[in-house]
Amino acid sequence: MTEQTKAAVDFLESCRTLVDAELDRCIDQSAASDRLQDAMRYSVLGGGKRIRPALCLAAARAMGQASNSALAPACAVELIHAYSLIHDDLPAMDDDELRRGRPTTHIAFDEATAILAGDALQALAFGLLANGSGLDTESRLAMVQELARAAGHQGMVGGQAIDLESVGKTLTLTQLETMHRHKTGALIEASVRMGALSAEQVDSSELDALTTYARVLGLAFQVQDDLLDIEGSTDVIGKPQGSDVARSKPTYPALLGLDGARQHLAELLQTAKASLERFGPEADPLRAMADYVVARTH
Amino acid sequence: MTEQTKAAVDFLESCRTLVDAELDRCIDQSAASDRLQDAMRYSVLGGGKRIRPALCLAAARAMGQASNSALAPACAVELIHAYSLIHDDLPAMDDDELRRGRPTTHIAFDEATAILAGDALQALAFGLLANGSGLDTESRLAMVQELARAAGHQGMVGGQAIDLESVGKTLTLTQLETMHRHKTGALIEASVRMGALSAEQVDSSELDALTTYARVLGLAFQVQDDLLDIEGSTDVIGKPQGSDVARSKPTYPALLGLDGARQHLAELLQTAKASLERFGPEADPLRAMADYVVARTH
């Protein structure tokens, strides 16, 4: 493990502690149905690296804020991510029975409960953001706008729709990037931007630089995901290895070859870091996160 | 048709024109996937009485506002309603193939697209609210909080979970009311409260009165729904008649008998109107809507 990767792992660890406690608190408020609440807790609190919350908190740091000033958006983005995984795993979608080494939500509960748990988590994300303690009214509203755009038909859900339509098709590199920019990129971008928006003063050129960082990192994340699907073992990545290939989903290695995909990844990492040049050591957590994303093994 | 019912029908008609144009506009912005956008449009713009938007606009009127001042929350609440119908109709939930006399979304498209269209509509609702033109920052934020609570695990989705757990069970009147207060009541309450929140000055006792009106009307709405399921014909109500009974879902007529349910409905109507006593003619649309809800034939 390099110095930088270790810094990211430490940072992720401290974020996870902070974020998990807040997620635990906000799903602990009496739901109308115990079973629904159990399913929500199972899906959100059952592990996960918390990469998006960490990016959100790291972006707040880069803007000179204390990490916990962006706790509400960090948790909101994780709730959206968690709901999307539940719905993605459904039989009508990817039909996955295993996630993070545990039965997926519709297996552990049932399909109807899984659909509802996902729906409730999305509402909770927006509620958490709107009530975001420690943030002024304007920031909270800007974050709701940001998250709604990133999560909806012009963002994440739009990307999932493109993904469904792409199974078994040959995509060009541009089409593949469009899919990922929506499917995973939009939420990663929102994580970083919402973190930045927690600062009292946000300079638009700083926001632009962080947005570039997030966009490039989002693509890098996906390239590494594709590589892990080929190189990783089921045991480490928590889902059957080679599952994308088995479904003939378009991937970077399929388009660029293994070496080409690795080189593309290295270039993206360089670009992501270059976009942070204007920032001093306050952006070190973001730099470490970039290293982590390309070096991670699951 | 009584004078009051006719007034409600006219009011509903004018609301529908206003709301449908805005819904059409906001789902016309380029989605990442045409098929996803088509499914969203199919589900939202394929008819519907627009009772919730009308209640929202009527509540704004009661607070002395122009109807269109509450256009954003009126549309947001309809988007939430539309998404809940799509997910409710899914095979894993109610497994309905017909809605408003047309194939349900997962039949007209496919199950995965239906799940995603519902997900995207929920995000769109919050985005529309956060961008709500003509509303100040504080109001928009208060509305996002209101809608998030009403739509989530402590509101509508919580009620759907109770509903699922109640199939084939005998509920007490209190349990039945708890289910409906969440499943349909929460969103009706939010419709009225968000309409009121569009006013610049909201007196808490006025808001309380309108909340009581909405709560009682929400129950009345459900009693009438249960009665229509027994008395209406498939042709008029747009879904197979007697479908609740066939699934042994708990209903008011099952608990109170037909006459008992009708009497309960009349009492609820009276209570709803009594809660509006402090308001003058500016609340006439709300009064007309109460008459409409109990007199409607579908």
Side-chain angles (χ1 to χ4, degrees):
Chain A
M1 202 185 281
T2 66
E3 197 76 10
Q4 282 271 18
T5 314
K6 190 179 171 315
V9 170
D10 290 347
F11 182 72
L12 268 170
E13 187 57 41
S14 72
C15 291
R16 186 161 46 223
T17 307
L18 203 63
V19 165
D20 282 11
E22 174 65 5
L23 289 170
D24 183 63
R25 191 198 60 77
C26 76
I27 317 181
D28 202 25
Q29 288 160 12
S30 57
S33 148
D34 288 342
R35 186 172 171 81
L36 175 67
Q37 182 162 302
D38 289 346
M40 293 167 74
R41 293 181 66 83
Y42 177 85
S43 314
V44 173
L45 300 171
K49 296 179 288 296
R50 313 301 190 207
I51 288 179
R52 291 157 194 79
L55 285 170
C56 182
L57 300 180
R61 283 270 195 98
M63 296 295 292
Q65 302 291 299
S67 291
N68 62 5
S69 67
L71 190 55
C75 291
V77 83
E78 188 66 13
L79 291 171
I80 294 287
H81 177 57
Y83 114 69
S84 78
L85 296 183
I86 302 175
H87 284 189
D88 241 13
D89 288 336
L90 287 168
M93 306 272 288
D94 282 355
D95 195 15
D96 276 317
E97 303 200 345
L98 210 56
R99 160 82 60 189
R100 294 169 184 163
R102 298 189 316 158
T104 47
T105 307
H106 67 276
I107 298 291
F109 293 82
D110 57 80
E111 227 181 298
T113 303
I115 294 169
L116 292 177
D119 290 344
L121 289 173
Q122 177 165 200
L124 186 60
F126 288 105
L128 190 65
L129 215 42
N131 288 296
S133 56
L135 296 167
D136 64 31
T137 314
E138 295 286 348
S139 303
R140 282 185 268 167
L141 205 57
M143 289 178 189
V144 173
Q145 292 168 351
E146 188 76 38
L147 190 63
R149 191 172 50 240
H153 66 295
Q154 298 179 322
M156 182 187 76
V157 176
Q160 286 169 309
I162 301 178
D163 192 12
L164 282 174
E165 292 162 17
S166 307
V167 173
K169 283 191 189 158
T170 309
L171 300 189
T172 63
L173 185 62
T174 308
Q175 288 172 322
L176 186 67
E177 288 200 349
T178 300
M179 176 181 92
H180 290 312
R181 214 175 50 237
H182 288 87
K183 189 176 158 144
T184 53
L187 205 55
I188 287 176
E189 192 178 319
S191 306
V192 170
R193 286 174 58 91
M194 290 196 299
L197 289 171
S198 71
E200 272 160 48
Q201 288 278 330
V202 190
D203 181 87
S204 78
S205 69
E206 284 176 317
L207 194 59
D208 286 349
L210 292 174
T211 305
T212 302
Y213 162 86
R215 280 194 190 150
V216 175
L217 192 71
L219 289 176
F221 185 86
Q222 195 54 52
V223 177
Q224 177 64 354
D225 236 30
D226 286 355
L227 284 168
L228 284 173
D229 189 63
I230 293 176
E231 298 169 336
S233 74
T234 302
D235 192 43
V236 175
I237 63 177
K239 63 177 179 179
Q241 182 262 326
S243 59
D244 293 345
V245 175
R247 269 181 225 139
S248 45
K249 284 203 170 187
T251 66
Y252 285 97
L255 267 178
L256 305 173
L258 257 180
D259 285 346
R262 284 196 196 109
Q263 196 189 325
H264 189 46
L265 184 61
E267 287 161 7
L268 290 169
L269 174 63
Q270 203 170 16
T271 311
K273 287 194 173 174
S275 68
L276 298 176
E277 259 165 16
R278 62 181 301 148
F279 295 93
E282 68 276 13
D284 280 350
L286 282 180
R287 294 187 184 97
M289 286 300 298
D291 282 305
Y292 173 80
V293 160
V294 304
R296 76 204 157 94
T297 53
H298 59 291
Chain B
M1 202 185 281
T2 67
E3 197 76 13
Q4 282 271 17
T5 314
K6 192 181 169 313
V9 170
D10 290 346
F11 182 73
L12 267 171
E13 186 57 41
S14 71
C15 291
R16 186 161 45 222
T17 307
L18 203 62
V19 165
D20 282 12
E22 174 66 5
L23 289 172
D24 184 62
R25 189 197 63 76
C26 76
I27 316 181
D28 203 24
Q29 289 160 11
S30 57
S33 147
D34 288 342
R35 185 172 172 82
L36 175 67
Q37 181 161 301
D38 289 346
M40 292 167 74
R41 294 181 64 83
Y42 177 86
S43 314
V44 173
L45 300 171
K49 298 180 287 296
R50 312 302 191 206
I51 288 179
R52 290 157 195 79
L55 285 169
C56 183
L57 300 181
R61 282 269 196 98
M63 296 296 292
Q65 302 292 299
S67 291
N68 61 6
S69 68
L71 190 54
C75 291
V77 83
E78 188 66 14
L79 291 172
I80 293 288
H81 178 57
Y83 114 68
S84 78
L85 296 183
I86 302 175
H87 284 188
D88 241 12
D89 289 336
L90 287 168
M93 305 270 290
D94 283 355
D95 195 14
D96 276 318
E97 303 201 343
L98 211 56
R99 161 81 61 189
R100 294 168 183 163
R102 299 188 316 157
T104 47
T105 308
H106 67 276
I107 299 291
F109 293 82
D110 57 79
E111 229 181 298
T113 304
I115 293 169
L116 292 177
D119 290 344
L121 290 173
Q122 177 164 204
L124 186 59
F126 287 105
L128 190 65
L129 215 42
N131 289 296
S133 55
L135 295 167
D136 63 31
T137 313
E138 295 285 348
S139 305
R140 283 186 266 166
L141 206 56
M143 289 178 189
V144 173
Q145 292 168 350
E146 189 76 38
L147 190 62
R149 191 172 48 239
H153 66 295
Q154 297 179 323
M156 181 185 78
V157 175
Q160 286 170 309
I162 302 177
D163 193 11
L164 282 175
E165 292 162 16
S166 307
V167 173
K169 284 193 188 158
T170 310
L171 300 189
T172 63
L173 185 61
T174 308
Q175 289 172 321
L176 186 66
E177 288 200 349
T178 299
M179 176 179 89
H180 290 312
R181 214 176 51 238
H182 288 87
K183 188 177 158 141
T184 54
L187 205 56
I188 287 176
E189 194 179 315
S191 306
V192 170
R193 286 173 59 91
M194 290 196 297
L197 289 171
S198 71
E200 272 160 47
Q201 286 278 328
V202 190
D203 181 88
S204 80
S205 70
E206 284 177 317
L207 193 58
D208 286 350
L210 291 175
T211 305
T212 303
Y213 162 86
R215 279 192 191 153
V216 175
L217 192 72
L219 289 176
F221 185 87
Q222 195 54 51
V223 178
Q224 177 64 354
D225 235 31
D226 286 355
L227 285 167
L228 284 173
D229 189 63
I230 294 176
E231 297 168 338
S233 72
T234 301
D235 193 42
V236 175
I237 61 176
K239 63 176 179 178
Q241 183 262 323
S243 59
D244 292 345
V245 175
R247 267 181 228 140
S248 46
K249 283 202 172 190
T251 68
Y252 285 97
L255 267 178
L256 304 172
L258 256 181
D259 286 347
R262 284 196 195 106
Q263 197 189 321
H264 188 47
L265 184 61
E267 287 161 6
L268 289 170
L269 175 62
Q270 206 171 12
T271 311
K273 286 192 174 176
S275 68
L276 298 176
E277 260 164 16
R278 60 182 303 150
F279 294 94
E282 68 277 12
D284 279 350
L286 281 179
R287 295 187 184 95
M289 286 300 298
D291 283 304
Y292 172 81
V293 160
V294 304
R296 77 204 156 94
T297 53
H298 61 288

